[in-house]
Amino acid sequence: MSHVYPPIQPYSHEFLDVGDGHQLYIEQTGNPDGIPVLYLHGGPGAGLCASYRSLFNPEKYRVIGFDQRGCGKSTPFAALENNTTQDLLEDIQKIRGHFGIRKWVLCGGSWGATLALLAAIEDPKSIKAIVLRGTFMARQQDFHWFLDPQGGAAQLFPDVYKHFIEHVQNRAESETLVDAYYRIFVDGDEISRMAAAKGWCIWEQKISQLNNSVNEQDLCQNLHRATSLAMLECHYLKHNCFIPDNFILDNVKTISAIPGTLIHGRYDIVCKLSGAYELSHAWRNSQLLIVPESGHSNSEPLIADSVRQATDAMIKFFEEEKF
């Protein structure tokens, strides 16, 4: 059983115009006078899920969450134009400026962990601490692990991978899996786009939990989320997440003074454990917690419980720091 905080509703929500035609949905939960923490959701394109609010002590934290460009309640929906990693990093700075926050905690999972690391590397002076789950390092080897037929995910789930590639089985030999999916998302008709989005999301969801019970009917009922997740994730992977290979490890010294906790499932198939392991050894003030009997998803009880424990531990760290 997961020992997270009870469900809670936001005390504030609004839309922020960040330019380029994009409006971001932002919500705040917890204590308005508490420790500010920015939660960064995964994907790209997954949008916020209400369960993230339960990872933080509502009496101690001022929790800020937002739907990244093109997903959730942010508009325009599933927009690929003006949607790059640098755009998202600029959005993070605009949100901090909008609320007048000098320093905050960053918390993110999967792609959200990538974005948290990039934001910290870009502006380390604005970060009090970092809590990450299922860290995606966004290197060529990580793309290979997740999507290639010889990658770890396909080797462990060959039956699921077979269904995943059926949606692009007629692609040219020179066309990569990502390029083929991207072509459908950009140029395909609505039926083919929806089928491809469903196929992409089923692949990811089936490999994201140790004990998976993906309900395809539920997925079909939530095509809004499936569409943005598939299209934006494909868009970012096609462009190598808009960063140079090995960028995070090459620049990790920039955040060496920031305290960080890395939480990773022992059997995470989406984001391989070795990436978080390498990061923890290169990041002087970080600690890696490997969660047994767990995969990638934050919906797994042991993962959620570990993130909650990490955010609680940060409170104690901040309180001790004052003395």
Side-chain angles (χ1 to χ4, degrees):
M1 180 178 179
S2 177
H3 296 88
V4 296
Y5 290 96
I8 186 172
Q9 294 300 311
Y11 66 78
S12 167
H13 55 84
E14 62 184 285
F15 285 88
L16 178 65
D17 187 341
V18 291
D20 303 322
H22 285 271
Q23 298 267 342
L24 301 184
Y25 168 77
I26 307 174
E27 61 181 37
Q28 298 189 75
T29 310
N31 181 355
D33 297 318
I35 302 164
V37 54
L38 180 70
Y39 179 80
L40 297 161
H41 68 69
L48 290 175
C49 180
S51 60
Y52 85 90
R53 305 171 197 148
S54 297
L55 301 173
F56 307 93
N57 184 329
E59 295 181 0
K60 298 292 186 178
Y61 279 107
R62 174 189 178 185
V63 186
I64 303 167
F66 75 104
D67 288 322
Q68 294 162 28
R69 294 190 181 204
C71 63
K73 297 178 183 178
S74 293
T75 60
F77 177 70
L80 306 183
E81 188 175 357
N82 298 314
N83 198 333
T84 69
T85 300
Q86 191 55 44
D87 289 320
L88 300 187
L89 293 174
E90 291 174 5
D91 290 346
I92 289 171
Q93 292 286 22
K94 289 175 183 176
I95 292 170
R96 189 170 66 85
H98 176 68
F99 291 120
I101 295 171
R102 189 175 68 87
K103 297 186 73 170
W104 55 8
V105 177
L106 296 182
C107 180
S110 197
W111 162 252
T114 317
L115 203 53
L117 289 165
L118 294 174
I121 289 169
E122 182 177 76
D123 187 14
K125 292 182 179 180
S126 68
I127 312 302
K128 290 173 66 70
I130 304 174
V131 177
L132 307 178
R133 183 269 308 166
T135 303
F136 181 61
M137 296 295 288
R139 302 166 297 180
Q140 288 297 324
Q141 59 179 286
D142 302 302
F143 306 148
H144 172 80
W145 171 276
F146 178 48
L147 289 176
D148 286 3
Q150 300 304 316
Q155 293 298 300
L156 288 166
F157 289 84
D159 52 334
V160 183
Y161 190 78
K162 180 178 182 296
H163 290 295
F164 176 44
I165 63 176
E166 282 177 354
H167 293 278
V168 291
Q169 59 185 346
N170 295 323
R171 72 183 190 275
E173 287 187 16
S174 59
E175 192 176 34
T176 67
L177 180 68
V178 170
D179 286 341
Y181 261 100
Y182 192 79
R183 173 173 46 80
I184 295 173
F185 290 142
V186 173
D187 298 324
D189 57 47
E190 185 174 357
I191 293 176
S192 62
R193 287 201 306 272
M194 291 304 99
K198 177 182 174 183
W200 185 287
C201 289
I202 288 175
W203 160 249
E204 181 160 342
Q205 289 193 25
K206 283 193 173 183
I207 68 173
S208 67
Q209 298 178 34
L210 190 60
N211 297 302
N212 196 286
S213 57
V214 174
N215 188 321
E216 294 187 25
Q217 184 176 357
D218 290 344
L219 183 64
C220 291
Q221 292 173 350
N222 194 8
L223 276 176
H224 182 83
R225 181 180 185 276
T227 299
S228 63
L229 175 63
M231 289 184 64
L232 289 174
E233 204 166 81
C234 183
H235 169 65
Y236 273 74
L237 292 177
K238 175 178 171 58
H239 295 95
N240 299 318
C241 292
F242 301 95
I243 58 173
D245 194 36
N246 211 46
F247 180 83
I248 292 172
L249 285 178
D250 286 344
N251 292 275
V252 71
K253 288 184 179 179
T254 307
I255 63 171
S256 61
I258 300 173
T261 302
L262 311 176
I263 294 155
H264 215 97
R266 170 68 72 181
Y267 303 105
D268 189 330
I269 304 304
V270 178
C271 300
K272 57 182 183 175
L273 174 57
S274 62
Y277 186 78
E278 291 176 59
L279 177 61
S280 70
H281 278 266
W283 182 0
R284 188 184 66 200
N285 274 353
S286 72
Q287 60 173 334
L288 172 63
L289 304 178
I290 301 174
V291 185
E293 301 176 8
S294 298
H296 179 71
S297 176
N298 202 51
S299 64
E300 296 194 44
L302 291 177
I303 295 290
D305 185 56
S306 297
V307 176
R308 192 272 307 164
Q309 289 186 52
T311 62
D312 282 354
M314 284 298 178
I315 296 172
K316 294 180 181 179
F317 174 77
F318 297 142
E319 290 175 344
E320 292 174 356
E321 201 177 29
K322 294 178 181 178
F323 295 98

